[in-house]
Amino acid sequence: QSVLTQPPSVSGAPGQRVTISCTGSSSNIGAVFNVHWYQQFPGTAPKLLIFANNNRPSGVPDRFSGSKSGTSASLAITGLQAEDEADYYCQSLDSSLSGWVFGGGTKLTVL
Amino acid sequence: QVQLVESGGGKVQPGTSLTLSCAVSGFTLSNNNLHWVRQAPGKGLEWVAVISDDGIDEYYTDSVRGRFTISRDNSTNTLYLHMSSLRAEDTALYYCARDVDDEGVFDVWGQGTTVTVSS
């Protein structure tokens, strides 16, 4: 049971927009801690996708965006492409656990 | 080129110890907090431990506190994770990761080293 809750899976057709939610609590996302997102392909290490809620590292397409409100955050992917098929994880700091926590991960399937 | 390379994984019996290493290159180790993150087979990411840039502060996830010790040697650009009293549930792929701003933004990851705890 992860501290941050994500849907196990989402799917969309090429060109569509999908969102992945990340629900936390007052000790993590709701406590003004930033949310970061990672993309992971099978057999590879995670890659930083979004940092500090809505910032993209250099090289990440602007099709990827993040937002945060209250105790939740979301990752949006527009213009869905086949190569976006991967697992996505949210991450934040948790004051009650004195450490970082990840969501359980969401598998994105491009139909 | 910024790079992290883990080593030291293997198959061990429950109750034994193992030390993982993470060799760092392409940046000055003393500038960043460093983390260990693990991923059990077929499961999600789990944060394990962090050590501050100066090596003074350490924090652990509850399930490993008292059994695992994170350390670093800035002179040799190496991060370590000493794991003792290993349990089957510690079986995972262990990644080291650089914290780019000391706020938990993991911008560089190693390729991981596999630890299997089984009798």
Side-chain angles (χ1 to χ4, degrees):
Chain A
Q1 195 86 3
S2 301
V3 173
L4 303 180
T5 301
Q6 297 179 233
S9 63
V10 298
S11 62
Q16 285 189 332
R17 177 181 187 269
V18 297
T19 61
I20 299 173
S21 61
C22 175
T23 303
S25 67
S26 59
S27 64
N28 41 68
I29 297 176
V32 304
F33 295 128
N34 287 328
V35 178
H36 319 301
W37 291 89
Y38 300 85
Q39 178 188 56
Q40 185 181 35
F41 296 104
T44 69
K47 168 193 168 185
L48 179 65
L49 193 64
I50 297 288
F51 67 95
N53 306 320
N54 55 14
N55 297 277
R56 287 185 308 277
S58 174
V60 173
D62 59 7
R63 301 186 295 105
F64 295 90
S65 64
S67 63
K68 173 188 160 182
S69 177
T71 59
S72 295
S74 289
L75 172 71
I77 309 172
T78 59
L80 204 58
Q81 299 180 5
E83 56 261 38
D84 297 333
E85 192 163 286
D87 294 323
Y88 294 83
Y89 295 90
C90 60
Q91 174 219 354
S92 186
L93 182 63
D94 192 291
S95 59
S96 66
L97 299 175
S98 297
W100 281 264
V101 289
F102 286 94
T106 298
K107 180 177 181 59
L108 169 63
T109 300
V110 181
L111 302 171
Chain B
Q1 179 185 359
V2 176
Q3 195 172 10
L4 306 177
V5 179
E6 302 92 337
S7 61
K11 182 178 178 180
V12 296
Q13 293 194 338
T16 61
S17 300
L18 193 66
T19 297
L20 306 182
S21 300
C22 172
V24 169
S25 60
F27 69 98
T28 303
L29 194 70
S30 58
N31 288 346
N32 298 90
N33 291 354
L34 296 170
H35 300 253
W36 287 97
V37 177
R38 67 185 180 184
Q39 187 168 32
K43 302 297 184 181
L45 302 174
E46 180 186 24
W47 175 79
V48 174
V50 60
I51 186 166
S52 60
D53 52 6
D54 57 9
I56 292 178
D57 296 315
E58 306 164 21
Y59 296 93
Y60 301 88
T61 191
D62 286 347
S63 62
V64 309
R65 189 176 297 115
R67 300 189 299 122
F68 289 14
T69 302
I70 188 172
S71 63
R72 62 194 292 161
D73 186 338
N74 289 347
S75 66
T76 61
N77 291 332
T78 307
L79 172 71
Y80 300 98
L81 184 68
H82 179 68
M83 306 180 293
S84 62
S85 303
L86 282 162
R87 306 167 180 167
E89 54 265 36
D90 295 318
T91 294
L93 180 61
Y94 284 75
Y95 295 102
C96 57
R98 183 179 78 167
D99 190 334
V100 68
D101 61 357
D102 295 345
E103 292 191 13
V105 179
F106 303 161
D107 71 326
V108 182
W109 298 66
Q111 84 291 347
T113 187
T114 299
V115 173
T116 302
V117 184
S118 173
S119 54

